[in-house]
Amino acid sequence: MNDVAALPRVTYSNIAEDFSGVHAHFGKVIAEMRDRQLGLERPNHLGGRDNTEGTAYDAPCPIDRRLSLGRFFAASPAEVDRAVTAAKAAQRGWRALGWPRRVALARKAADLLEAQKFEVAAACLLEVGKSRMEALGEVEEAIDLIRFYAAEMEASNGFRRDLARANPREETFDVLRPYGVFAVIAPFNFPVALSAGMSICALIAGNTVVFKPSPMAGLTGRLLTDCLIGAGLPEGVFNLVCGGAETGAALAANPDVDGIAFTGSHAVGMRMMREFGAGGSHARPVLAEMGGKNPTYVAASADLDTAVSGVLRSAFGLQGQKCSAGSVAFLHETLAGAFLDRLGAAASAVVVGDPCERETFIGPLISQAALERFENSLRQARAAGGTVLGGEVLSGGLCDHGAYVRPAIVTGLPDDHALHRDELFLPFLTVRTFSDLGDAIRRGNAVPYGLTAGVYTGDAAELESFLETAEAGVLYANRASGATTGAWPGIQTFCGWKGSGTGSKGGLGAWYLPQFMREQSHTIMR
Ligand code: NAD
């Protein structure tokens, strides 16, 4: 145990460390998880009790679809209603507990997650098919997220502030209050960090939670639930309901839900805005973080090695299944040829395969539906006169039991083609060229999304112009570790502009937590 605790953390800032000890230990934990922890029954959790009343389903492991991640239970509207009723009944007591106690419980949950971080990371790797480093980094991020928001609550004194007095007999102050019951609805691709971040903010703020993970991510959803329950949250404060769109829709339709924290696709998030946010007698908060179509601009003055490394990592890391994936590269026409030669060579050298192995960079796509989207996108590209580099669908061995593809780089598409504009969520990079950076940024901005953007330039004026005009909430310049990806609590905030988010404040920063509360002013005459 002591030896394991002494291993370096896989975080944003220590990527250059020697991780051989981490790999040795993690390899054993992955094998143990694969052999002994998959295929088990993983109940929902309602009102302080485990519950198996929904429709049972097995979630396939994307690495090898012959393996079941576990047996889960899609909660019906009746079970969802029971979970919401339990959350509503528990909310008054949870609020009355006071924020210092809630913060202490959150920190305990972070400690429990830290104690099991290799096991939870192994579950995440097997569930999403992400690489070892991505899986470990995600769990470290989840731990830091909980601690970060706990510290924010404390630093803000529970968001209570004395106000000025117009009269000496008057006592006035301002306080942020919880809404009541929050639904937390999460996507498949960062199932630990995003679920932990949304849930812990709702909880610390004094709301109770009904949490619905992605139907593909019930395993980590249950492990996270165990950490929260194990920390000592009172009965009904945190409830887990598994299932897909139907369960999510039943949750969003429940009149006793007071707010939704959602991360997922644009279509689903916007529907919640319309139907839940503005569909009742009064507006209700929908804190939605949604998709992206994130451009990278490589200017004539760019350092090519840095740019190739950053574009490769952001376009194809986690199989392109990141909201922040750099899915469109704008290349200055003077370097486009050289850049593509190098990027093509680097992309054809990345290891695609079983992410349980330490050298694998690209694991499987999440599902057969994602594979069909990949093949369909390739067909569309070719039909429009585009040239595809890579993009092979692999077969043989493990590849016959999962969706393994080589990343695709597509050039020569018409400038107005939908593949430049729509989120694909695949290892699929489209390339556009430019002669004027300002014009390229205008073209890159002309999409419904506004999540992340990156630039490579050695020119200070070009950098300034990018920072001033790029329409996205997260900007990066000259990063070899990722052109448009990578964020850590307290280091990069993560706010989706335009169709990438419904709020004006994103996660990982100081302004996210207060969105889970509403303001109340108190004036008391003494
Ligand atoms: P998704 O929208 O298909 O599903 C997200 C969640 O919503 C799942 O739990 C799903 O079961 C649920 N859901 C689906 N239909 C619903 C409905 N009608 N009512 C209620 N709930 C419903 O997304 P996904 O495929 O799991 O994840 C990928 C998407 O998430 C991408 O668009 C990606 O860009 C986005 N994402 C955004 C961020 C961010 O921070 N902006 C981070 C990660 C992922």
Side-chain angles (χ1 to χ4, degrees):
M1 181 64 196
N2 281 343
D3 286 343
V4 174
L7 292 171
R9 299 182 69 206
V10 178
T11 67
Y12 174 89
S13 59
N14 69 349
I15 45 176
E17 291 236 21
D18 172 10
F19 286 120
S20 48
V22 171
H23 277 295
H25 179 67
F26 195 32
K28 284 188 217 150
V29 177
I30 294 168
E32 160 84 16
M33 175 69 66
R34 200 171 172 148
D35 294 345
R36 306 228 176 124
Q37 297 294 319
L38 297 191
L40 305 182
E41 190 167 273
R42 304 280 179 177
N44 292 329
H45 191 76
L46 273 64
R49 279 175 192 75
D50 284 353
N51 179 294
T52 54
E53 281 175 65
T55 308
Y57 67 97
D58 283 291
C61 172
I63 298 169
D64 181 341
R65 290 192 199 133
R66 292 168 298 182
L67 297 174
S68 162
L69 292 166
R71 171 146 286 211
F72 303 96
F73 299 88
S76 70
E79 279 110 36
V80 168
D81 287 353
R82 279 172 49 204
V84 174
T85 302
K88 191 174 174 174
Q91 201 268 330
R92 193 176 279 269
W94 180 238
R95 171 181 151 168
L97 199 64
W99 67 263
R101 294 281 307 282
R102 295 197 296 269
V103 160
L105 288 168
R107 288 191 168 128
K108 209 162 160 202
D111 292 347
L112 288 180
L113 187 54
E114 188 168 46
Q116 295 173 50
K117 71 179 181 186
F118 284 99
E119 289 74 16
V120 178
C124 182
L125 180 153
L126 293 164
E127 185 174 81
V128 185
K130 56 176 64 184
S131 72
R132 286 182 173 206
M133 290 290 111
E134 293 261 9
L136 281 166
E138 173 169 353
V139 179
E140 295 284 12
E141 184 180 1
I143 296 161
D144 278 11
L145 267 168
I146 299 174
R147 292 180 176 151
F148 175 81
Y149 291 126
E152 283 297 312
M153 194 71 177
E154 209 163 48
S156 310
N157 187 32
F159 294 91
R160 184 196 183 285
R161 233 180 230 195
D162 289 337
L163 296 175
R165 296 173 184 205
N167 178 319
R169 287 183 48 230
E170 164 179 277
E171 183 188 332
T172 52
F173 66 91
D174 179 58
V175 63
L176 298 192
R177 299 286 205 189
Y179 282 93
V181 176
F182 250 82
V184 170
I185 300 178
F188 78 84
N189 66 333
F190 279 87
V192 186
L194 293 169
S195 303
M198 292 189 284
S199 298
I200 216 67
C201 282
L203 290 169
I204 289 175
N207 304 285
T208 51
V209 167
V210 179
F211 165 49
K212 196 203 80 62
S214 161
M216 294 171 258
L219 179 57
T220 54
R222 180 67 219 202
L223 296 178
L224 180 66
T225 301
D226 289 342
C227 289
L228 289 163
I229 301 304
L233 294 191
E235 210 168 87
V237 167
F238 190 82
N239 305 275
L240 168 73
V241 290
C242 283
E246 273 181 35
T247 304
L251 187 52
N254 188 300
D256 286 329
V257 172
D258 300 292
I260 295 180
F262 168 80
T263 308
S265 61
H266 176 82
V268 176
M270 291 308 289
R271 185 171 163 182
M272 283 180 192
M273 268 307 263
R274 286 189 299 271
E275 293 178 7
F276 177 89
S281 61
H282 57 275
R284 290 178 290 177
V286 178
L287 310 176
E289 297 296 330
M290 303 181 285
K293 189 74 177 179
N294 310 295
T296 303
Y297 306 97
V298 185
S301 56
D303 179 274
L304 271 198
D305 287 339
T306 308
V308 167
S309 163
V311 169
L312 180 89
R313 285 169 171 278
S314 283
F316 306 135
L318 185 49
Q319 297 79 270
Q321 300 169 133
K322 293 185 186 178
C323 54
S324 54
S327 42
V328 192
F330 285 85
L331 307 179
H332 192 273
E333 57 196 16
T334 58
L335 56 64
F339 182 93
L340 285 169
D341 286 348
R342 290 200 208 184
L343 183 69
S348 62
V350 297
V351 179
V352 180
D354 183 350
C356 298
E357 304 299 329
R358 72 182 276 180
E359 58 283 346
T360 297
F361 178 68
I362 297 189
L365 301 180
I366 190 68
S367 62
Q368 181 65 23
L371 179 62
E372 284 163 16
R373 209 164 61 243
F374 186 74
E375 292 179 308
N376 189 33
S377 302
L378 290 174
R379 272 194 294 276
Q380 282 180 43
R382 291 190 175 109
T387 303
V388 179
L389 198 64
E392 299 85 3
V393 176
L394 304 180
S395 60
L398 193 59
C399 298
D400 289 340
H401 304 287
Y404 291 86
V405 302
R406 292 215 67 83
I409 301 168
V410 177
T411 57
L413 287 176
D415 209 51
D416 62 352
H417 199 281
L419 289 170
H420 290 313
R421 196 182 57 233
D422 297 340
E423 183 185 49
L424 299 174
F425 226 53
L426 295 168
F428 192 102
L429 174 75
T430 67
V431 175
R432 305 164 83 174
T433 55
F434 68 89
S435 55
D436 173 71
L437 181 64
D439 181 51
I441 294 171
R442 270 189 295 282
R443 288 155 63 206
N445 284 341
V447 292
Y449 298 107
L451 189 52
T452 70
V455 73
Y456 293 89
T457 175
D459 181 304
E462 280 185 340
L463 173 59
E464 196 51 34
S465 142
F466 165 76
L467 296 174
E468 282 300 316
T469 57
E471 290 177 4
V474 196
L475 304 182
Y476 302 92
N478 297 326
R479 267 164 98 246
S481 58
T484 60
T485 47
W488 204 265
I491 298 177
Q492 285 87 11
T493 58
F494 209 73
C495 180
W497 287 16
K498 299 171 17 186
S500 296
T502 56
S504 55
K505 312 287 185 299
L508 316 187
W511 314 119
Y512 186 62
L513 171 61
Q515 299 182 106
F516 288 79
M517 294 170 268
R518 52 189 165 178
E519 191 169 16
Q520 191 171 56
S521 152
H522 290 203
T523 301
I524 301 141
M525 301 310 292
R526 300 284 183 197

